């Protein structure tokens, strides 16, 4: 009688050994800025990527991880942050988390440059999400697009980036004026009850835009350009009949324009002008009897030559992390109320 052969014993898998690679940077000061106080920014990268990072000195960063792909991803993020510092941008926690979200080729620093808006004698901005980068590309593509839509939830940078780009064009004298227009009140243009001249009537509704311009240009340069008439506020109610030549025009809060207002303002473009239209269709304050002109314009102009449309989503939110979760909660609530039958 022959006994059955005992089953072969499986060999225990050898534990994978963590390997290290070194990355070197020429500018030690930039490296310190990229690492953050007490290596705080390196710790954020470690937690997100599952690697160990150390900066022993002399421009060296040591990356340790079992997985080679994790090491490659860490190199990509570090190179992107270093390249953004070369552009004169600052490194903060938001910039680090943005670099972790982006998906560049680590060997193509031009992709970083592609998402940068430089404002001479002012502040420069860099795209922090893939959606923002597509938007910045459209804004900078002067030969292909004269009308650029940026639509999506709050906190995605759609107005800030348009303002920064318009300011950069103005400072470089590529346009003669920066014109900012928007519906002045929730469901109409009721300006008469407010005290003061036109600017004083409209300014309360344009505080986010003025804040963005002040951040980009600085207060003194902003005030000088306002006094010179190079930066102009033009509520939509006062745009009728005008032709806007050699200007960069920003239509903000466009979801609160009626269809007639939207058609009117889009047809104000004159020689040498371009326009950015920003808004969030989900935040329309118009009555149901007065449908918004923004989704209508997006629909009929979707395939029009010279028009670019960037649709932002909650993944493009670059404010406080909680903002993205708030947007998601409201979107989920809207889906529940709409029901599956109407969503199809």
């Amino acid at each position: 009688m022959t006994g059955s052969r005992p089953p072969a014993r499986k060999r225990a898998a050898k534990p994978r050994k963590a390997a290290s690679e070194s990355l070197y940077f020429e500018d030690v000061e930039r490296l310190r800025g990229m690492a953050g106080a007490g290596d705080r920014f390196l710790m954020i990268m470690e937690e997100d990527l599952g690697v160990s990072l150390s900066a022993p000195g002399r421009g060296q960063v040591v990356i340790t991880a079992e997985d080679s792909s994790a090491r490659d991803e860490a190199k990509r993020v570090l190179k992107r942050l270093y390249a953004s510092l070369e552009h004169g941008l600052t490194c903060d926690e938001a910039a680090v988390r943005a670099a972790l979200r982006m998906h560049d080729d680590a060997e193509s620093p031009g992709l970083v440059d592609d998402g940068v808006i430089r404002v001479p004698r002012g502040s420069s901005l860099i795209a922090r999400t893939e959606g923002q980068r597509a938007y910045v590309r459209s804004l900078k593509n002067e030969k292909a697009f004269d009308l650029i839509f940026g639509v999506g939830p709050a906190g995605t940078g759609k107005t800030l980036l348009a303002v920064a780009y318009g300011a950069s064009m103005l400072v470089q004298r590529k346009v003669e004026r920066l014109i900012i227009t928007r519906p002045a009140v929730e469901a109409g243009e009721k300006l008469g009850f407010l005290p003061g001249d036109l600017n004083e009537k409209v300014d309360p509704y344009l505080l986010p835009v003025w804040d963005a311009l002040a951040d980009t240009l600085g207060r003194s340069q902003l005030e000088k350009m306002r006094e010179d008439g190079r930066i102009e506020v033009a509520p939509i109610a006062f745009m009728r009949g005008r032709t806007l030549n050699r200007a960069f025009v920003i239509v903000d809060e466009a979801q609160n324009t009626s269809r007639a207002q939207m058609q009117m303002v889009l047809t104000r473009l004159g020689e040498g002008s371009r326009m950015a239209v920003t808004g969030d269709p989900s935040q329309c304050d118009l009555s149901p009897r007065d449908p918004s002109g923004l989704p209508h314009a997006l629909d009929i102009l979707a395939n029009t030559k010279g028009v670019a449309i960037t649709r932002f989503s909650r993944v493009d939110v670059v404010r406080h992390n909680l903002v993205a979760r708030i947007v998601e909660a409201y979107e989920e609530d809207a889906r529940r109320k709409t029901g599956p039958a109407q969503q199809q």
Side-chain angles (χ1 to χ4, degrees):
M1 181 176 177
T2 58
S4 59
R5 180 176 297 178
R9 295 174 59 187
K10 292 184 179 179
R11 292 185 178 180
K14 290 184 179 179
R16 297 172 67 182
K17 186 178 180 181
S20 297
E21 295 182 49
S22 290
L23 201 58
Y24 292 91
F25 299 94
E26 291 182 4
D27 193 319
V28 176
E29 286 303 314
R30 284 191 191 135
L31 174 56
R32 288 194 185 119
M34 188 170 68
D39 291 343
R40 184 165 64 94
F41 300 150
L42 295 184
M43 293 178 199
I44 293 173
M45 289 181 247
E46 286 179 330
E47 182 179 355
D48 189 276
L49 300 173
V51 300
S52 175
L53 300 172
S54 63
R58 297 185 180 180
Q60 180 187 20
V61 177
V62 179
I63 307 165
T64 304
E66 295 178 357
D67 190 347
S68 62
S69 62
R71 295 194 298 273
D72 290 342
E73 185 67 2
K75 286 188 285 186
R76 179 195 68 77
V77 173
L78 289 165
K79 288 180 180 180
R80 177 178 176 80
L81 285 170
Y82 187 79
S84 69
L85 289 169
E86 284 183 317
H87 287 296
L89 299 164
T90 58
C91 187
D92 54 19
E93 183 173 338
V96 174
R97 296 198 183 280
L100 289 164
R101 286 195 298 264
M102 300 294 274
H103 300 289
D104 313 327
D105 177 352
E107 304 303 324
S108 301
L111 285 177
V112 175
D113 183 69
D114 199 26
V116 174
I117 297 175
R118 293 183 182 81
V119 184
R121 302 191 303 279
S123 300
S124 296
L125 279 80
I126 187 171
R128 291 186 168 182
T129 68
E130 296 294 339
Q132 284 193 354
R133 182 158 60 189
Y135 186 49
V136 171
R137 284 175 178 165
S138 296
L139 288 168
K140 294 170 74 172
N141 194 342
E142 300 171 27
K143 294 182 179 179
F145 305 118
D146 288 327
L147 176 58
I148 302 97
F149 287 90
V151 294
T156 51
K158 52 190 182 294
T159 298
L160 175 62
L161 292 170
V163 167
Y165 178 77
S168 72
M169 294 296 97
L170 188 62
V171 172
Q172 296 175 69
R173 298 192 178 274
K174 292 185 176 182
V175 294
E176 294 177 1
R177 290 178 297 165
L178 173 59
I179 298 174
I180 303 146
T181 181
R182 63 170 287 179
V185 291
E186 290 180 351
E189 299 293 327
K190 301 173 184 177
L191 300 172
F193 72 96
L194 290 173
D197 60 18
L198 178 60
N199 282 348
E200 291 170 332
K201 289 175 186 286
V202 177
D203 274 1
Y205 301 102
L206 288 165
L207 284 176
V209 174
W210 293 130
D211 288 344
L213 281 168
D215 290 343
T216 304
L217 293 170
R219 291 282 177 187
S220 60
Q221 188 171 203
L222 169 59
E223 291 304 322
K224 186 175 187 304
M225 288 182 170
R226 290 190 71 178
E227 290 173 7
D228 295 344
R230 297 179 64 198
I231 295 178
E232 177 186 347
V233 292
I236 286 175
F238 289 77
M239 293 283 283
R240 190 174 300 279
R242 300 183 63 184
T243 301
L244 307 175
N245 294 321
R246 295 173 292 282
F248 188 78
V249 185
I250 298 172
V251 182
D252 191 33
E253 297 289 340
Q255 75 276 4
N256 286 334
T257 60
S258 66
R259 289 187 179 184
Q261 286 176 326
M262 179 62 76
Q263 181 181 358
M264 180 271 293
V265 75
L266 292 180
T267 54
R268 298 307 93 196
L269 275 177
E271 180 183 354
S273 290
R274 301 177 74 221
M275 181 181 288
V277 179
T278 67
D280 180 359
S282 71
Q283 295 294 315
C284 180
D285 296 309
L286 300 176
S287 70
R289 292 176 297 178
D290 192 11
S292 170
L294 179 57
H296 179 250
L298 293 171
D299 182 41
I300 65 174
L301 297 176
N303 299 313
T304 302
K305 184 178 179 181
V307 176
I309 298 174
T310 300
R311 296 183 184 273
F312 296 99
S313 69
R314 63 176 178 270
V315 301
D316 296 301
V317 173
V318 292
R319 289 183 185 168
H320 193 288
N321 289 338
L322 181 59
V323 174
R325 297 195 291 272
I326 291 171
V327 170
E328 183 178 8
Y330 274 93
E331 288 178 352
E332 180 59 32
D333 181 64
R335 282 193 293 269
R336 286 197 304 267
K337 289 179 179 178
T338 304
Q342 295 182 40
Q343 291 179 27
Q344 294 176 355

